[in-house]
Amino acid sequence: DQQVKQNSPSLSVQEGRISILNCDYTNSMFDYFLWYKKYPAEGPTFLISISSIKDKNEDGRFTVFLNKSAKHLSLHIVPSQPGDSAVYFCAARRSNTGKLIFGQGTTLQVKP
Amino acid sequence: GAGVSQTPSNKVTEKGKYVELRCDPISGHTALYWYRQSLGQGPEFLIYFQGTGAADDSGLPNDRFFAVRPEGSVSTLKIQRTERGDSAVYLCASSLGRGANYNEQFFGPGTRLTVL
């Protein structure tokens, strides 16, 4: 039972353009949604989060949008840079627990 | 400061053997998590500790898997009678306290376990 899904295994964009990574979830009880970034041979690194009571959260070049009615969230990276090339994981959790449920990941390649 | 460290970085064992994987969290982090990641998949939750006690062990796949954190710092994940399907990268993470601090989990580089 995959509660968090990332249906695009990979995405390739040109440097300077926008990258949009998508994530769908099935459990309406999730209270927080997160994005983590992972480089090869390293552990995932926290990027940005959003509470279920909000529909947008912005941090520099990164913005996460949440559409609760569609059970969908997306991460926008503007402008994309070659250093953003990594695997991006969407994750979700309920309030009062540290248990994260991760999606399968999307590999982003930003071409110079 | 130092991040989360995991030892060994690689472990190759034979089917049926016992293995221990160690995690040293960031100093002062009260929450510690174990995940495992198979090729092409996202991290899969196993267990997390708040202090010395297991707050949620719902992700442990069966009774061959056990984890301890006796002094609220270092944790050991123990796997008995290893099977080939246990082969994966085992990730440890730690974070401050509770609430919103659960969002930012600091991961170690992982231990790659290979069961032959």
Side-chain angles (χ1 to χ4, degrees):
Chain A
D1 176 25
Q2 190 76 26
Q3 296 185 66
V4 178
K5 298 181 183 180
Q6 295 174 258
N7 293 317
S8 298
S10 62
L11 174 68
S12 182
V13 301
Q14 208 65 35
E15 181 179 6
R17 308 296 286 265
I18 184 171
S19 295
I20 300 176
L21 297 105
N22 294 301
C23 178
D24 297 294
Y25 62 96
T26 58
N27 189 342
S28 59
M29 301 299 289
F30 287 135
D31 297 295
Y32 293 93
F33 302 90
L34 310 100
W35 286 93
Y36 276 74
K37 179 169 79 171
K38 186 182 183 303
Y39 293 117
E42 296 183 9
T45 302
F46 172 76
L47 198 53
I48 192 169
S49 65
I50 188 168
S51 164
S52 62
I53 63 174
K54 299 195 173 185
D55 55 19
K56 176 182 174 181
N57 188 28
E58 190 173 351
D59 184 2
R61 296 186 298 116
F62 302 92
T63 303
V64 57
F65 295 92
L66 175 62
N67 183 334
K68 285 184 66 177
S69 61
K71 294 192 176 68
H72 178 85
L73 64 153
S74 60
L75 175 68
H76 293 212
I77 306 174
V78 183
S80 301
Q81 299 173 354
D84 296 330
S85 298
V87 179
Y88 287 78
F89 292 102
C90 171
R93 71 174 182 89
R94 295 189 62 176
S95 186
N96 295 324
T97 178
K99 175 180 177 179
L100 296 183
I101 308 297
F102 283 87
Q104 308 95 308
T106 297
T107 301
L108 173 66
Q109 182 184 29
V110 180
K111 297 180 180 178
Chain B
V4 176
S5 63
Q6 294 186 245
T7 54
S9 55
N10 278 284
K11 177 70 177 177
V12 180
T13 190
E14 294 180 343
K15 180 174 177 296
K17 298 289 189 182
Y18 168 82
V19 296
E20 288 189 355
L21 311 180
R22 177 187 168 107
C23 173
D24 282 82
I26 293 173
S27 178
H29 280 190
T30 58
L32 184 147
Y33 316 81
W34 284 99
Y35 297 84
R36 72 175 175 181
Q37 186 176 14
S38 300
L39 198 61
Q41 301 297 315
E44 175 192 8
F45 172 81
L46 296 176
I47 183 172
Y48 90 94
F49 292 86
Q50 191 64 253
T52 59
D56 185 339
D57 65 357
S58 62
L60 294 177
N62 50 59
D63 61 6
R64 296 187 298 106
F65 289 74
F66 190 70
V68 295
R69 193 186 186 201
E71 297 178 357
S73 179
V74 170
S75 175
T76 305
L77 179 65
K78 308 180 181 192
I79 310 174
Q80 299 178 323
R81 305 183 303 280
T82 51
E83 300 177 356
R84 293 192 180 91
D86 299 334
S87 297
V89 175
Y90 287 80
L91 294 165
C92 176
S94 68
S95 75
L96 290 168
R98 304 173 186 267
N101 290 318
Y102 283 144
N103 288 343
E104 188 168 7
Q105 298 181 15
F106 295 80
F107 281 81
T111 294
R112 180 175 298 278
L113 175 66
T114 304
V115 182
L116 301 176

